[in-house]
Amino acid sequence: MELFYFMVFGALGAVVAALELSKNSKDRIITSPAFNSFKNNYLLVYSLMMAGDWLQGPYVYYLYSTYGFGKGEIGQLFIAGFGSSMLFGTIVGSLADKQGRRRACVTYCITYILSCITKHSPEYKVLMVGRVLGGIATSLLFSAFESWLVAEHNKRGFEQQWLSLTFSKAIFLGNGLVAILSGLFGNLLVDSLSLGPVAPFDAAACFLAIGMAIILSSWTENFGDPSENKDLLTQFRGAAVAIASDEKIALLGAIQSLFEGSMYTFVFLWTPALSPNDEEIPHGFIFATFMLASMLGSSLASRLMARSSPRVESYMQIVFVVSSVSLLLPIVTNFLVAPSKVKGGSISFAGSLQLLGFCTFEACVGIFWPSIMKMRSQYIPEEARSTIMNFFRIPLNIFVCVVLYNVDAFPITVMFGMCSIFLLVASVLQRRLMAISDKPKMENWTVMKDRDPEAEALNE
């Protein structure tokens, strides 16, 4: 493996270590022992859930190909997963609000374990069922756990700022460290121990089962709106009304869809971007490097959210602009660097530049996750939290399905350009969100001045 990959990985690792070790009192949030116990329990469960997810990711396509399926059939399986997340995700999100978030988290574990079991069958129909189950599970993973956490945090009377600490640690561990360890563990099972491409799915099922046992033994139930007189249609209507009537919620949903749509598109594009002429690149090591960059971002986010200034709504504008510029690199290098005509070999100079840009984008992803979680906890009403969060995923899943279906129809530079535009639009919408979130404060200050002459004098 080339020295360049180790240099990038080592540099990122050194920066992450420096950020974590150099935190001072301003960068840390003083909490209570009761909260620390609650936080550590959630982080353990969340890490196990993410291990169950990350172990599967690198081997899904590989497993299908070993069963003899072509690119078109595999594409249909992937579309089925995103499609089921879009169709059934909102329903299971509403059920989580009504029937209980803890129960929804357990349902996630059971559904994903069943999805893992289907991977043992080479039958296309069985694998399709597994993809549908996986799509449902994904919707629960990205809504039920966060909804349970926010409701339980508030129910126990912990300070609102402490949520930021849990969010940033969850991303640092679950989307960073656990992803790296899962990739290495999956490589050990498949390559070193030669247990076959199904082995990571069996390991994932074991981690999910352990996490489910912890949930059943230590989590209490909480609800969004448990009233029995509300059916699913009423809940959908209530969530839609909340989005339509509150511009902040609508903007938050649009921002999330634009960023995550670009992120999932990037997942499909980074391999052909770095190896346009079939260059030999270490996919697993590059994936681990991306996850390390994401850890760097989450570490930065924890510092930013520990302080009262800058606000999340402010610094996320910059994050979206930086991520937009980073995804323009494939287009820039295509114009400025002469493309190589040699097939195979090592990564090109243009590929090396793009890798650095992609690491920057992954760092932005690491900042995005805890920051969007914090904004969702502020703006989304508790009684329909899971339902609204899954509403946000509908345009995202439609977009990803369209991209998957037409992935060969457009040049890769066009796809990256589209993602870059989406991220710029997200920055504009984030600016609007910050502007309207400041309005109530300005209005309250104006009312106070009208009622209190001393406040007017203080202002002058």
Side-chain angles (χ1 to χ4, degrees), residues 205-269:
C206 293
F207 284 118
L208 292 168
I210 294 170
M212 182 171 65
I214 297 174
I215 292 172
L216 290 170
S217 62
S218 61
W219 285 23
T220 58
E221 189 61 275
N222 63 54
F223 301 87
D225 187 353
S227 56
E228 296 181 1
N229 60 343
K230 282 191 177 181
D231 55 19
L232 284 178
L233 189 59
T234 305
Q235 285 183 273
F236 292 159
R237 191 181 298 116
V241 168
I243 295 172
S245 61
D246 191 332
E247 187 181 356
K248 293 191 288 292
I249 299 177
L251 285 170
L252 197 61
I255 290 167
Q256 178 178 323
S257 294
L258 288 167
F259 188 89
E260 290 192 40
S262 301
M263 181 184 70
Y264 283 115
T265 305
F266 167 77
V267 170
F268 300 124
L269 297 181

Side-chain angles (χ1 to χ4, degrees), residues 391-405:
F391 260 71
F392 289 171
R393 295 184 64 82
I394 291 176
L396 162 67
N397 285 306
I398 292 174
F399 173 75
V400 175
C401 287
V402 170
V403 169
L404 273 174
Y405 191 76

Side-chain angles (χ1 to χ4, degrees), residues 254-362:
I255 290 167
Q256 178 178 323
S257 294
L258 288 167
F259 188 89
E260 290 192 40
S262 301
M263 181 184 70
Y264 283 115
T265 305
F266 167 77
V267 170
F268 300 124
L269 297 181
W270 71 262
T271 295
L274 295 180
S275 56
N277 296 309
D278 299 323
E279 288 91 345
E280 295 180 6
I281 59 174
H283 293 84
F285 195 81
I286 290 175
F287 172 78
T289 304
F290 286 163
M291 294 304 101
L292 193 57
S294 180
M295 290 175 67
L296 189 156
S298 63
S299 183
L300 283 173
S302 68
R303 283 176 172 246
L304 291 168
M305 291 191 295
R307 305 180 182 215
S308 57
S309 180
R311 292 172 53 205
V312 175
E313 291 84 356
S314 177
Y315 70 71
M316 282 307 296
Q317 297 175 59
I318 301 172
V319 171
F320 290 137
V321 171
V322 172
S323 61
S324 175
V325 172
S326 68
L327 291 190
L328 280 177
L329 267 180
I331 302 173
V332 174
T333 55
N334 186 60
F335 283 106
L336 298 182
V337 181
S340 174
K341 302 294 183 181
V342 181
K343 288 286 183 181
S346 59
I347 190 169
S348 64
F349 175 70
S352 300
L353 292 177
Q354 290 177 39
L355 179 61
L356 296 176
F358 293 165
C359 287
T360 303
F361 176 74
E362 285 291 342

